[in-house]
Amino acid sequence: MNALQRDLKKLVPLVESLGAEKAASDPHRQKFHIQPMVGWLNDPNGLCKIGDTYHAFFQYGPFDVSGGVKHWGHVTSRDLLHWDYQPTMLYPDEPFDCHGVYSGSALVEDGTMYLYYTGNVKYPGAFDYIKQGRGHNVCLAVSRDGLHIDSKQCLMYNKDYPAGLTCHVRDPKVFACEGRYYMVLGARTVEDRGEVLVLESEDKYTWRHTNTLTTPEPFGFMWECPDLFQLDGQWFLAVSPQGIECQNIYGCGYFPIYGDWRRDCILGDFYHADFGFDYYAPQSFTDETGRRIQIGWMGMPDAAYGNAATVAYGWQHCMTIPRVLTRDNAGHILQNPVSELAAHRGTAVTATDGVEQSVDACFDLVAAPGGDFSLGFDGGLTLAYSDADRTCCLTFTDAAMSGGRTSRCVVLDAPCRRLRVVGDASSLEIFLNDGAAVLSTRYYPAGDQVTLRPANFTAAVYPLNL
Ligand code: FRU
């Protein structure tokens, strides 16, 4: 252990103990979503399951509620809903990761965790930190017990990447496939185009660049947090592209892949993963049942809106509920909350058409609307659907609830006939047509009860006991 790690291992628990009580007293503290004990959270990292324990790591800024130098925070769970804090897993304590232990993933083999991440380094000088002055290194930390790091090393520096790239090459997602290891890395070219590098390895330590995935026409300047996975025989590339035209400042979605992504393939049309305000940088993994579970950051980098309500209590941001990914007949990805959630449903309350109904802010609402409908939340936020143009919009009218959020819409492929809304103390995740489209948002209701006003439909609302 080096001296910096020794001191950070003391300092992080110290700032946590100083701030935890205040954060926990926040009425908007989430009940069943991953959130930082104190400070800042962004991307999910290193998602995996070992034995009966799920591990989730996250981009963690314990010293700064607005970000700061990134560590890997760590939480574990048996049911994907109750998360226990574990000691911070990775600290920015080596020359190759001293300005942040950036995003990455976990490969688990024989119970050992191989944590691949980006070591962020900013060299002193008058640099733009895009084309010069920054190191984005692929690093590997190994843990035999899933709680402590046995070794940490740098596997690749920028000089080891293909020519034509800026310094922005990050977020390794590593997986095994047909006896080999593969890594996808998000990249920004010197022409400011986003792409994903595919690398291959036989031993987990030595990597060769074998392919590059991109679109024929430029699609944004940088693709962050790539993920590559198969659903029912179809491969998908999930990315968070920066610099594309969409409702949010940055996009987040997936391409179906046609052909062999290792050699020769094309990317199909890009689909947005979520149409709400707060969704970015998701990562997925499979558990022993084979289901593919994805968790996203319920936040948006560089957004014009924010979370002042929780910042006042010294913490900011959370993850989405873990969602199971499946594929529909048209080849699109469906996202639905893990089935574990239903086990916590209390006795349903009926929210009747046209009648205000007060419910616990932690709820799971299900409905089958027949055409146009709307759903109001505390009189300050409305979800409104119009069958004529199959458009569903989420619109804030109360600044106290919005934190600066305005309106987001989705145009559905099919008429909306299924609605599910999962509410926690300060978030709503809205699943339309069995997860064909999702809108996720943070919001700040006045109390721990929320008044729902359904129009043109009646819903079953289950309080969630968590
Ligand atoms: C995405 C991202 C990643 C990076 C990390 C740093 O939100 O910018 O590309 O690794 O956050 O926290």
Side-chain angles (χ1 to χ4, degrees):
M1 190 185 306
N2 68 34
L4 183 56
Q5 185 182 114
R6 188 196 58 213
D7 288 355
L8 284 170
K9 275 195 166 179
K10 289 185 198 150
L11 270 175
V12 172
L14 185 65
V15 299
E16 289 175 339
S17 67
L18 290 173
E21 205 176 316
K22 184 170 178 191
S25 72
D26 182 354
H28 292 119
R29 193 81 179 153
Q30 299 276 61
K31 300 281 191 306
F32 58 96
H33 287 80
I34 298 170
Q35 59 201 334
M37 192 187 295
V38 298
W40 163 278
L41 166 152
N42 60 295
D43 317 353
N45 297 149
L47 305 178
C48 60
K49 189 177 190 192
I50 301 183
D52 55 8
T53 303
Y54 292 97
H55 293 260
F57 301 92
F58 55 89
Q59 288 290 284
Y60 184 28
F63 302 123
D64 186 346
V65 73
S66 308
V69 64
K70 302 296 162 53
H71 300 51
W72 272 33
H74 186 192
V75 285
T76 54
S77 175
R78 297 278 168 94
D79 66 357
L80 296 163
L81 299 167
H82 296 90
W83 294 94
D84 297 321
Y85 289 106
Q86 302 297 344
T88 292
M89 192 68 161
L90 294 172
Y91 298 88
D93 55 6
E94 295 284 353
F96 52 75
D97 64 15
C98 57
H99 289 85
V101 179
Y102 274 14
S103 284
S105 57
L107 176 81
V108 176
E109 231 176 43
D110 303 325
T112 295
M113 264 182 197
Y114 296 85
L115 303 176
Y116 293 88
Y117 67 93
T118 295
N120 181 51
V121 180
K122 287 176 97 169
Y123 297 103
F127 297 122
D128 66 357
Y129 294 105
I130 299 169
K131 292 193 172 150
Q132 321 135 333
R134 187 187 284 264
H136 270 177
N137 308 315
V138 173
C139 308
L140 171 62
V142 180
S143 170
R144 282 169 303 176
D145 67 359
L147 284 174
H148 307 92
I149 295 299
D150 298 299
S151 65
K152 211 173 160 196
Q153 70 189 98
C154 181
L155 302 180
M156 277 180 277
Y157 295 92
N158 288 75
K159 66 175 174 45
D160 302 314
Y161 306 140
L165 301 177
T166 62
C167 309
H168 286 219
V169 180
R170 59 177 176 265
D171 309 335
K173 173 78 197 283
V174 172
F175 56 97
C177 177
E178 293 172 0
R180 292 200 172 188
Y181 303 102
Y182 292 93
M183 176 188 295
V184 281
L185 267 178
R188 172 174 183 164
T189 70
V190 287
E191 288 91 29
D192 290 327
R193 289 188 57 170
E195 60 181 38
V196 165
L197 310 178
V198 180
L199 296 91
E200 195 175 295
S201 172
E202 274 91 51
D203 64 1
K204 302 188 279 290
Y205 293 86
T206 320
W207 294 86
R208 270 187 321 280
H209 171 240
T210 54
N211 200 9
T212 297
L213 307 178
T214 191
T215 45
E217 293 304 317
F219 189 69
F221 60 82
M222 169 70 194
W223 290 5
E224 293 194 308
C225 299
D227 194 1
L228 192 71
F229 54 84
Q230 205 180 160
L231 294 174
D232 212 2
Q234 171 67 53
W235 283 92
F236 293 95
L237 174 68
V239 281
S240 295
Q242 299 183 312
I244 62 167
E245 293 241 335
C246 58
Q247 297 186 92
N248 288 332
I249 178 167
Y250 303 135
C252 178
Y254 61 90
F255 300 98
I257 301 175
Y258 303 112
D260 185 347
W261 51 266
R262 287 169 290 202
R263 283 165 209 99
D264 195 17
C265 67
I266 55 167
L267 302 180
D269 290 339
F270 181 80
Y271 292 95
H272 293 276
D274 194 293
F275 296 86
F277 296 91
D278 299 295
Y279 189 82
Y280 200 69
Q283 185 177 105
S284 73
F285 70 108
T286 49
D287 71 2
E288 75 288 350
T289 65
R291 61 182 176 161
R292 184 156 290 276
I293 302 167
Q294 189 180 54
I295 298 179
W297 171 30
M298 209 165 0
M300 178 56 60
D302 307 325
Y305 45 86
N307 308 291
T310 73
V311 169
Y313 285 83
W315 70 283
Q316 180 163 208
H317 293 308
C318 67
M319 298 301 174
T320 63
I321 189 167
R323 302 171 182 175
V324 173
L325 304 185
T326 51
R327 194 193 137 196
D328 73 7
N329 294 335
H332 299 156
I333 295 180
L334 304 177
Q335 301 174 52
N336 286 288
V338 288
S339 57
E340 281 85 340
L341 188 68
H344 298 278
R345 285 175 171 176
T347 310
V349 174
T350 304
T352 308
D353 183 9
V355 179
E356 282 203 339
Q357 175 72 51
S358 185
V359 299
D360 191 293
C362 290
F363 67 85
D364 190 359
L365 174 151
V366 288
D372 292 1
F373 71 86
S374 71
L375 177 59
F377 301 86
D378 269 356
L381 171 63
T382 308
L383 179 73
Y385 170 71
S386 144
D387 228 19
D389 51 10
R390 292 180 183 166
T391 301
C392 197
C393 293
L394 185 64
T395 306
F396 281 93
T397 50
D398 178 356
M401 270 167 72
S402 71
R405 289 163 186 78
T406 50
S407 185
R408 292 289 180 270
C409 296
V410 55
V411 181
L412 300 174
D413 292 338
C416 186
R417 295 295 177 260
R418 305 270 304 155
L419 169 66
R420 182 166 180 192
V421 183
V422 175
D424 199 340
S426 53
S427 69
L428 295 170
E429 290 164 89
I430 298 160
F431 300 85
L432 305 175
N433 283 345
D434 297 315
V438 190
L439 297 110
S440 304
T441 190
R442 300 301 300 284
Y443 83 132
Y444 298 99
D448 53 10
Q449 295 274 303
V450 180
T451 303
L452 302 180
R453 179 187 271 278
N456 285 337
F457 73 107
T458 288
V461 188
Y462 300 89
L464 289 169
N465 305 313
L466 283 142

